Amino acid sequence: MHHLKTKILAGVLLTLPTLAMAHPGHESAHSGFMAGFIHPFTGLDHLMMAIALGVLFSKFAKQWKITGVIAFIMALSFGFVLGMQGIFAATFEYGIVASLIVLAVALCVRHQVLLAISAIGLTMFHGAAHGYELAHSGNAVYVASGMIVAMALIYLAGLGLGEVIRRYVPYGDKMVAACAAAVALLGLA
């Protein structure tokens, strides 16, 4: 029975990367602001990470509420510019993974500064990946603007969700921590 549960769990874990589907549809994503705006809502990884970061910052870094939104917008924008210039072209995926690992460590040790730095790094490298993909598009600025606005809105929704969980759900803080660990693992997958 134990082996059957292990096989089922392994099968489920193997399907997680296909569920993320973060980057299909980029061939049509070159059309403008709305395509960029819709993109974060169609990729499970974008949606989960932005919501999760909002929830995390509602718990671990109270001073990062609105300041975090501004920092993420700046990091994502900076990443887009770097990516469009081809900077980090060979390493942005490694930067994303490294940021996720540091983020997981920061969560484990509850280090707020490291959490903020790794989240900003993750956001910047993610922006670089999209900037690189969109570099030769004539509408890259519009697509990037749409993505930035959508990610900020999703992050704000995560902040709100985090506050609701912390205030009104029994053991909400523990649930947020467990969800954060799950998101970090999913991101690494």
Side-chain angles (χ1 to χ4, degrees):
M1 185 65 156
H2 177 65
H3 293 289
L4 179 61
K5 288 181 183 178
T6 304
K7 288 180 183 180
I8 291 171
L9 178 62
V12 168
L13 290 175
L14 286 173
T15 65
L16 289 179
T18 58
L19 292 174
M21 295 187 337
H23 301 283
H26 276 254
E27 56 282 348
S28 65
H30 302 293
S31 58
F33 180 87
M34 282 309 293
F37 184 82
I38 292 169
H39 182 73
F41 293 99
T42 62
L44 184 60
D45 72 331
H46 293 91
L47 203 53
M48 285 183 58
M49 288 308 292
I51 289 173
L53 287 175
V55 169
L56 286 175
F57 280 108
S58 74
K59 174 183 172 30
F60 292 110
K62 292 178 177 73
Q63 72 274 16
W64 265 78
K65 303 271 194 248
I66 299 302
T67 309
V69 175
I70 295 167
F72 288 135
I73 288 170
M74 290 174 56
L76 195 57
S77 301
F78 185 63
F80 271 114
V81 170
L82 292 176
M84 285 192 278
Q85 300 301 315
I87 300 170
F88 294 129
T91 60
F92 55 75
E93 294 293 342
Y94 297 111
I96 291 170
V97 171
S99 298
L100 282 169
I101 291 169
V102 173
L103 185 70
V105 170
L107 286 170
C108 289
V109 299
R110 295 180 180 214
H111 195 284
Q112 291 185 11
V113 173
L114 192 56
L115 176 66
I117 290 169
S118 60
I120 288 171
L122 175 64
T123 305
M124 185 196 67
F125 283 116
H126 185 246
H130 281 295
Y132 182 74
E133 292 168 345
L134 297 169
H136 301 293
S137 165
N139 297 320
V141 172
Y142 298 116
V143 176
S145 297
M147 285 185 191
I148 290 167
V149 169
M151 291 298 283
L153 291 173
I154 296 168
Y155 173 79
L156 286 169
L159 279 174
L161 178 63
E163 286 300 315
V164 168
I165 290 171
R166 285 179 356 89
R167 290 181 185 185
Y168 303 110
V169 175
Y171 304 106
D173 284 345
K174 292 185 187 323
M175 289 175 60
V176 168
C179 288
V183 167
L185 288 174
L186 181 61
L188 287 173

